[in-house]
Amino acid sequence: MVRMLTMTGWKRKGHMLGYGRHSPAEQRQLWTADLQAIAGILAQKKYFFGGDKPTKIDAVLFGHLAQILYIAIDSPQEKYLREFSPDVVQYVARMKEEFYSDWDDICKKPEA
């Protein structure tokens, strides 16, 4: 029952936000275009806008992209990034190392 309500809630939320109004094929086109745009702008720059310091957009991008790359849910977005956007994967890894060198410690499950 809870799972059904949760799935219904996610579908409803997706519909209200607009994303759920598209077919799965259209959704794939949308996120693929988004990831391609990020990769195209980022290219081989250290930070998104090419400066020597990260900006707020780098923090936002890292937050979103890290979820795709580091949460073990085997998403099509993760597969796409790893296969077609090595610069983006390297960018996220670089940001993680630079600002969250203690990532593994932070992400450890607390001992019971």
Side-chain angles (χ1 to χ4, degrees):
M1 178 77 164
V2 172
R3 185 171 187 211
M4 184 180 79
L5 291 173
T6 302
M7 291 304 293
T8 302
W10 279 110
K11 287 180 182 180
R12 184 173 180 206
K13 184 176 181 179
H15 185 78
M16 290 171 49
L17 293 172
Y19 198 74
R21 297 172 195 229
H22 299 282
S23 71
E26 292 169 325
Q27 290 175 7
R28 183 177 182 88
Q29 288 176 333
L30 290 169
W31 64 253
T32 299
D34 289 344
L35 295 176
Q36 286 173 341
I38 291 167
I41 293 169
L42 184 61
Q44 300 212 356
K45 299 176 204 162
K46 183 172 182 180
Y47 300 113
F48 192 75
F49 288 122
D52 59 349
K53 293 181 182 178
T55 63
K56 289 178 185 176
I57 192 72
D58 291 293
V60 170
L61 278 175
F62 175 78
H64 287 285
L65 295 170
Q67 291 180 72
I68 293 170
L69 292 170
Y70 298 130
I71 295 177
I73 58 171
D74 197 34
S75 72
Q77 293 88 350
E78 177 190 4
K79 289 177 186 173
Y80 178 87
L81 284 172
R82 294 196 187 282
E83 186 172 344
F84 298 109
S85 300
D87 290 340
V88 174
V89 174
Q90 290 170 2
Y91 165 80
V92 175
R94 193 170 51 247
M95 292 285 288
K96 178 181 149 189
E97 182 59 33
E98 186 172 349
F99 297 102
Y100 298 97
S101 59
D102 57 349
W103 180 277
D104 293 332
D105 293 331
I106 293 170
C107 294
K108 281 184 185 174
K109 291 183 180 179
E111 294 181 22

